[in-house]
Amino acid sequence: MKSRKLLITIFGVLAITALLAACAPAAAPEEAAPAEEEAAPAAEEAAPAEAAPAEKLYIPVISKGFMHAFWLAVEKGAEQAAVDYGVTITFEGPETEAMVDKQMDMLQAAIDKNPAGICFAAVDSKAAIPLLEQAKAKGIPIVAFDSGVDSDIPLATAATDNVAAAALAADKMVELIGGAGEVAIIAHDNTSRTGIDRVVGFTERIAAKYPNVTIVDTQYGGGDQLKSTDLAKAIIQANPNLKGFFGANEGSIIGVLNGAKELNRTDLVIIGYDSGQQQIAAIKSGLEAGAITQNPIGIGYKCVEAVVKAVNGETLPKFIDTGFMWFDADTIDNPEIVAVLYE
């Protein structure tokens, strides 16, 4: 009997448990784990880098030398143009104006650098032509300065009209010697355009206008003062009736001045070209009658400017006349003269 009651009790407990389980609310399904946050964009687009500044144009300037202060004045003008136009230049030349081979090496080295353009003053008006042809083939514009070449390859030449300037020197010479007499010339060379043109300008003006004036000798001193001094003394000694002497560049005229002083021929009418400390002093003292001054700063400036214009597609005139003026003791301190003189 007790066993029966025990079984009934057990069955009752199980029934109640089952009923409660059935009535219990179903467990809420586990919420799915939130999806991983969307990955941030891999990287924000990089801000565009600032454009690198455009590389400056490079223009080598090859002069005839560094022997005279004239070339330092040309360099000053070229450097000013480089600043004004935002370009880079180098300025170089051989030690003397007789070193043709060395200048050709400099020109070759410049061409090999593939510059934007080249400014070139030729020691020899013919020797550079093969290299200029090479530059033209590579598309490198050439602008000549001071002393051009016997070729149409240079797009322009920035220079003095040396024929006209030397003709003016001849006019002044004849006026100062009284219209008649013997005169002589010492020039720097007969290979550069400046040397050729200054002798031509002087001699042709004498031949064309002044039949009573005789040019007794023309010599070439390579622009070297010592050599020009020896040549001047030889000419003076060989021509005792000499009345006038023309020195066609700075080195030449200093040689003439030295020769005249050493031989005590201070009566000579001496006319020079360019300026420089010694020549300025000689004009102020009366030993030298006067000179033709170029505009060397303008020559250097206009050459670099012309290359920049050529690179920018501008058409250049074949000849850029940088001007010249006569000066003497009366005008040497005039502002327009002072502006173009160098010491």
Side-chain angles (χ1 to χ4, degrees):
M1 187 71 175
K2 284 180 183 178
S3 299
R4 189 176 173 185
K5 281 182 182 176
L6 180 61
L7 286 171
I8 290 170
T9 301
I10 291 169
F11 283 128
V13 172
L14 290 172
I16 290 168
T17 303
L19 182 62
L20 289 173
C23 292
E30 256 186 50
E31 242 177 73
E36 281 185 27
E37 287 182 12
E38 257 180 56
E44 286 186 24
E45 277 187 33
E50 284 186 24
E55 192 173 332
K56 286 184 176 183
L57 298 179
Y58 168 56
I59 303 169
V61 181
I62 302 172
S63 80
K64 289 168 66 178
F66 275 107
M67 182 183 283
H68 308 302
F70 176 85
W71 296 115
L72 301 179
V74 173
E75 181 180 16
K76 183 178 178 182
E79 287 174 343
Q80 185 58 56
V83 171
D84 291 351
Y85 284 95
V87 300
T88 298
I89 70 161
T90 52
F91 193 98
E92 62 181 337
E95 288 86 347
T96 76
E97 295 178 21
M99 299 176 75
V100 178
D101 289 345
K102 185 158 187 181
Q103 193 190 48
M104 295 308 100
D105 290 344
M106 290 175 172
L107 180 57
Q108 181 67 71
I111 293 169
D112 291 344
K113 292 176 183 174
N114 294 310
I118 296 173
C119 292
F120 182 62
V123 168
D124 186 307
S125 60
K126 293 180 169 51
I129 292 173
L131 290 179
L132 297 183
E133 288 172 346
Q134 186 186 127
K136 182 180 179 181
K138 295 180 79 171
I140 300 169
I142 303 291
V143 173
F145 68 97
D146 181 67
S147 191
V149 296
D150 296 337
S151 165
D152 61 358
I153 292 173
L155 301 178
T157 300
T160 304
D161 183 341
N162 284 292
V163 172
L168 175 58
D171 291 336
K172 293 292 183 180
M173 176 69 78
V174 175
E175 176 188 339
L176 293 169
I177 66 172
E182 297 179 354
V183 299
I185 303 169
I186 290 183
H188 40 301
D189 60 57
N190 59 357
T191 55
S192 70
R193 278 266 47 106
T194 56
I196 294 166
D197 290 348
R198 290 174 198 174
V199 171
V200 166
F202 191 92
T203 56
E204 288 190 351
R205 178 59 62 91
I206 295 292
K209 289 187 65 176
Y210 306 112
N212 296 323
V213 177
T214 303
I215 299 172
V216 295
D217 204 351
T218 300
Q219 293 292 329
Y220 300 93
D224 181 271
Q225 299 175 19
L226 297 177
K227 184 176 180 182
S228 297
T229 298
D230 290 341
L231 289 171
K233 287 163 65 177
I235 291 171
I236 292 168
Q237 289 170 328
N239 299 278
N241 296 321
L242 193 70
K243 293 177 74 174
F245 221 136
F246 173 51
N249 82 332
E250 186 181 350
S252 302
I253 190 58
I254 291 172
V256 172
L257 291 168
N258 290 342
K261 282 190 290 187
E262 289 180 25
L263 296 178
N264 198 30
R265 285 297 310 270
T266 55
D267 59 306
L268 289 173
V269 172
I270 297 173
I271 288 177
Y273 213 102
D274 297 326
S275 52
Q277 191 171 25
Q278 284 181 258
Q279 191 168 194
I280 289 170
I283 290 172
K284 287 183 174 181
S285 74
L287 178 60
E288 182 176 338
I292 299 294
T293 178
Q294 304 184 81
N295 180 3
I297 293 175
I299 290 172
Y301 191 98
K302 287 294 184 182
C303 180
V304 172
E305 179 183 64
V307 171
V308 173
K309 288 182 176 181
V311 170
N312 291 335
E314 295 185 40
T315 301
L316 302 175
K318 282 304 271 185
F319 184 71
I320 301 168
D321 190 347
T322 54
F324 62 87
M325 288 183 279
W326 164 262
F327 70 103
D328 55 24
D330 293 331
T331 61
I332 196 168
D333 293 321
N334 289 359
E336 66 271 20
I337 297 294
V338 171
V340 294
L341 298 184
Y342 60 88
E343 293 193 350

